[in-house]
Amino acid sequence: MSDVGPHSAARIGASGGLSGLRGRIGWICHAIRIAAVLWSLWIVGWAVALWSDKARLLAGYSRLLATDVSGVSDASYYAAIVLVVVNCMLAAAIAYCIWQLCATYLAGRIFTVDAALWLRRTAIVALTAIGFGIFARFAVVAIFAGQIVLLPARGQLLVPQDLLHLIFVFFVFGLAYIFKTAAEMADDQAQIV
Amino acid sequence: MPIVVNLDVMLARRKTRSKELAERIGITEQNVSLLKSGKVKGIRFDTLARICAALDCQPGDVLAYRSEENDVSPAPRGQAE
């Protein structure tokens, strides 16, 4: 029985077990990549469609706040748009991290520190996006209303799904840490001939 | 690292090449090179047993302990051969 030796993660990738795993998760990785790209494009497209019609957008916020915000200044409107643009950029960043993570898996570097780091980066960007998204909701309403509004007249700015998203993100954080530790332990083991 | 690998000494003594040893004990030539240079974190008993069988030697001929204070290490056995 031949041994595998130090720094041979690539060689490990050629073994039956791991190549079988790559085969099984290949379609999942491709699907996740496509879904991530489509989701980010959806976010951007939806933002463009919504914010390109100022009158309709402000009418919607007027209903949400039960007050007329149609007279909001252009400067305030563009300030709100900046927040939306940042939100879209964060969505694109999430899609990029997911793409890179799946690329790592597709290259066979599944149980590696590299893959764990991409998982952690994805969690960090997602956490940033969730936090910023929540902040932006309140900030846009405050810009249009001219004051901080915690509970609008109709609808909610904070929903239970926000907490669920946070739970999932922290779960991914935990997984990233576990995988990184496991990969480092595997690297250490690989240096025993 | 206080454990010193004297595999290169035993290979020279037995007039065996790294490649040949690698084939006989079933590990890669690269791993034999890393083992010779001491760039490994450990060696399995199974691998050590196969090396000793292939080179007709004892573990003490392949491995030596050299403490950091005392630079003198025990000479490999069979030096008189």
Side-chain angles (χ1 to χ4, degrees):
Chain A
M1 181 178 73
S2 58
D3 256 337
V4 290
H7 318 302
S8 58
R11 212 171 298 135
I12 289 172
S15 73
L18 211 57
S19 61
L21 176 62
R22 279 168 60 194
R24 281 195 294 275
I25 69 171
W27 70 270
I28 297 173
C29 288
H30 287 302
I32 289 172
R33 283 173 125 188
I34 293 168
V37 170
L38 288 177
W39 169 78
S40 65
L41 289 175
W42 188 359
I43 294 287
V44 172
W46 177 79
V48 168
L50 197 64
W51 287 81
S52 58
D53 189 339
K54 181 178 177 180
R56 195 172 79 164
L57 181 88
L58 292 177
Y61 273 97
S62 296
R63 283 193 297 276
L64 175 72
L65 299 169
T67 187
D68 183 19
V69 299
S70 59
V72 76
S73 68
D74 284 347
S76 297
Y77 191 74
Y78 293 134
I81 286 179
V82 167
L83 295 174
V84 172
V85 167
V86 172
N87 209 41
C88 291
M89 287 168 65
L90 287 169
I94 292 173
Y96 172 75
C97 287
I98 290 173
W99 185 277
Q100 291 293 81
L101 173 63
C102 292
T104 308
Y105 290 157
L106 289 167
R109 301 193 309 274
I110 299 172
F111 300 116
T112 61
V113 172
D114 191 30
L117 287 176
W118 273 113
L119 191 63
R120 188 172 73 179
R121 284 177 198 129
T122 304
I124 290 171
V125 175
L127 181 64
T128 306
I130 291 169
F132 184 83
I134 293 171
F135 162 77
R137 276 180 236 154
F138 285 92
V140 168
V141 163
I143 287 171
F144 290 160
Q147 59 183 358
I148 292 174
V149 176
L150 296 178
L151 291 170
R154 296 190 182 91
Q156 292 175 291
L157 294 179
L158 207 57
V159 292
Q161 283 87 340
D162 293 328
L163 184 56
L164 181 63
H165 294 156
L166 279 174
I167 290 170
F168 276 123
V169 162
F170 282 119
F171 182 60
V172 171
F173 257 124
L175 275 181
Y177 187 73
I178 289 168
F179 282 1
K180 183 170 179 283
T181 305
E184 285 167 347
M185 287 168 62
D187 273 352
D188 268 353
Q189 279 299 308
Q191 292 182 50
I192 299 172
V193 293
Chain B
M1 168 68 105
I3 298 294
V4 175
V5 180
N6 295 317
L7 184 60
D8 50 347
V9 173
M10 282 312 302
L11 284 171
R13 198 168 285 157
R14 297 291 184 260
K15 297 183 176 57
T16 304
R17 288 184 187 171
S18 300
K19 185 178 175 184
E20 189 187 332
L21 177 67
E23 285 167 6
R24 285 168 70 181
I25 67 174
I27 67 174
T28 63
E29 195 178 344
Q30 183 195 12
N31 285 348
V32 171
S33 296
L34 289 167
L35 191 54
K36 275 167 49 179
S37 58
K39 291 178 182 170
V40 294
K41 285 198 172 176
I43 181 169
R44 296 187 179 89
F45 284 152
D46 182 52
T47 304
L48 185 57
R50 282 186 265 162
I51 289 172
C52 292
L55 299 180
D56 186 29
C57 63
Q58 291 295 314
D61 297 327
V62 178
L63 302 173
Y65 172 74
R66 182 177 299 153
S67 75
E68 269 121 24
E69 303 97 29
N70 180 7
D71 210 34
V72 176
S73 63
R77 273 199 273 174
Q79 202 172 13
E81 288 175 0

